[in-house]
Amino acid sequence: MKIEVKERVFHFKQPAGTSRGVYIERKSWFVEVTDGDRRGIGECAPLPDLSCDARLDYAEVLRRFCNDVERSGKIERDAMRDFPSMLFGLETAMLDVRQEPASIPINGLVWMGTYEEMYARVKEKLDAGFRCVKLKIGAIDWQEELELIRFVRQNFSRDEVELRVDANGGFPVGVALERLKQLSDYDIHSIEQPIRQGQWDEMGRLCELSPLPIALDEELIGVNTIEKKQQLLDYIHPQFIVLKPSLHGGINGTREWIALAQERAIGSWITSALESNVGLYAIAHLALEVYGPDITFPQGLGTGQLFTDNIPMPIEIKRDRLIIH
């Protein structure tokens, strides 16, 4: 078995803004496994200042893990729990993915920007046929964001468009509950990560008192052992968890999160973390595996259209569905 590592930089069609900053480009490392006639490719895509394994010596650490896999022919997942993006890439490359054609419902993603930019992006998603739209919030004026949400609800009922919002931890603790109450006036499906991660007492209180469901996202980063995952879910008890394999433990770690959540009647969905089409293709297959081929709950798999220089894969978006050929 031989594993080759290649680095590549992708460029966003337009700046992707979150409450943590703006992405202009993103870097991925691709691992290509050859073993006889078999060839597999996986994407390792850490997000700077977010992934628990984003580090200056990323390429060197990844190469060491690849050397270990070359020698043993298998992935030592316990040794790689603290390196989820590397684990996800190697797991993907080692899989022999064969699936029948499938169709997965997805949400339309609206990045942060000025009020005018976000207004135009929301209208674009609705015109494209999306019935579930996710808004990144928490970076511009709060009243302008509320006005944007009010506009959507005045023109489209909950039956016509499901609205999700993602604060990326951008709400100050002192005003978070009041903002959640304001959002609840507009039939919001859920809010992801209203306050910054690591504040378990405050987050648990919000999950208990919030008039709209809370989904944990960044809160799950770096929580890699089963014992710690159980502790977090039991302490905070959110309504949902949002899973990104590159951030939350790779393929196997994502399966663990979903199983533990189901035991506690906590909902979940899977989303990508700005991977290229290579990673997106693998995540789509994972969603089909864990939720079944008849998924009705929109997943967060609409990010393949973000880059000017993506890698062609047998997937495409038609209206509000990701089609796997």
Side-chain angles (χ1 to χ4, degrees), residues 18-21 23 47-52 111-112 134 136-137 165-170 191-200 203 214-224 232 236 240-244 247-248 257 271:
T18 76
S19 62
R20 294 171 175 266
Y23 292 111
L47 286 171
D49 302 320
L50 189 59
S51 299
C52 64
W111 289 96
M112 290 178 178
K134 173 179 166 181
K136 293 278 190 178
I137 62 174
V165 295
D166 182 1
N168 286 119
I191 180 170
E192 292 179 38
Q193 201 68 41
I195 62 175
R196 283 191 176 271
Q197 70 265 38
Q199 305 177 87
W200 286 21
M203 186 66 83
I214 291 176
L216 300 186
D217 180 354
E218 288 90 342
E219 199 73 62
L220 312 180
I221 296 173
V223 181
N224 298 322
L232 182 148
I236 299 178
F240 296 98
I241 57 175
V242 183
L243 294 158
K244 299 181 174 75
L247 296 176
H248 301 139
W257 275 116
T271 183

Side-chain angles (χ1 to χ4, degrees), residues 287-304:
L288 289 170
E289 175 202 326
V290 296
Y291 298 126
D294 300 319
I295 301 175
T296 58
F297 196 77
Q299 308 293 298
L301 304 177
T303 58

Side-chain angles (χ1 to χ4, degrees), residues 11 18 23 49 86 90 107-108 114 141 153 174 191 199-200 211 217 237 253-254 267 269 276 282 284 288 300 307 322:
H11 302 86
T18 76
Y23 292 111
D49 302 320
M86 300 182 198
L90 281 167
N107 61 241
T114 64
D141 179 77
R153 269 294 166 252
I191 180 170
Q199 305 177 87
W200 286 21
D217 180 354
H237 205 84
T254 298
W269 68 89
S276 74
L288 289 170
F307 303 113
L322 181 72

Side-chain angles (χ1 to χ4, degrees), residues 46-206:
L47 286 171
D49 302 320
L50 189 59
S51 299
C52 64
D53 57 354
R55 45 196 292 166
L56 294 177
D57 60 347
Y58 188 93
E60 290 82 0
V61 175
L62 175 59
R63 183 66 258 177
R64 290 201 296 270
F65 282 128
C66 290
N67 293 343
D68 293 340
V69 174
E70 284 179 334
R71 285 191 294 268
S72 66
K74 61 181 181 179
I75 300 171
E76 297 295 341
R77 287 186 172 85
D78 286 340
M80 294 188 67
R81 279 187 177 272
D82 292 333
F83 302 88
S85 65
M86 300 182 198
L87 179 58
F88 173 65
L90 281 167
E91 286 176 321
T92 302
M94 297 284 281
L95 288 175
D96 188 8
V97 177
R98 290 189 178 93
Q99 282 273 4
E100 295 297 321
S103 172
I104 302 174
I106 59 175
N107 61 241
L109 179 61
V110 175
W111 289 96
M112 290 178 178
T114 64
Y115 176 84
E116 291 76 16
E117 289 170 338
M118 292 184 71
Y119 178 96
R121 292 168 189 169
V122 168
K123 191 171 187 310
E124 176 187 323
K125 295 300 180 185
L126 298 178
D127 290 343
F130 281 93
R131 298 194 61 193
C132 177
V133 176
K134 173 179 166 181
L135 300 172
K136 293 278 190 178
I137 62 174
I140 65 173
D141 179 77
W142 172 242
Q143 293 305 318
E144 288 190 352
E145 288 179 335
L146 274 183
E147 180 59 36
L148 183 68
I149 293 169
R150 185 181 300 114
F151 158 77
V152 176
R153 269 294 166 252
Q154 284 174 344
N155 291 275
F156 298 91
S157 70
R158 183 172 186 168
D159 291 335
E160 293 173 300
V161 175
E162 179 179 278
L163 280 180
R164 300 175 182 175
V165 295
D166 182 1
N168 286 119
F171 290 173
V173 171
V175 300
L177 185 58
E178 177 58 31
R179 290 188 177 182
L180 296 181
K181 291 177 180 177
Q182 290 176 292
L183 287 170
S184 68
D185 292 335
Y186 303 107
D187 289 323
I188 304 296
H189 171 271
S190 59
I191 180 170
E192 292 179 38
Q193 201 68 41
I195 62 175
R196 283 191 176 271
Q197 70 265 38
Q199 305 177 87
W200 286 21
D201 288 335
E202 290 81 0
M203 186 66 83
R205 176 175 172 272
L206 285 178

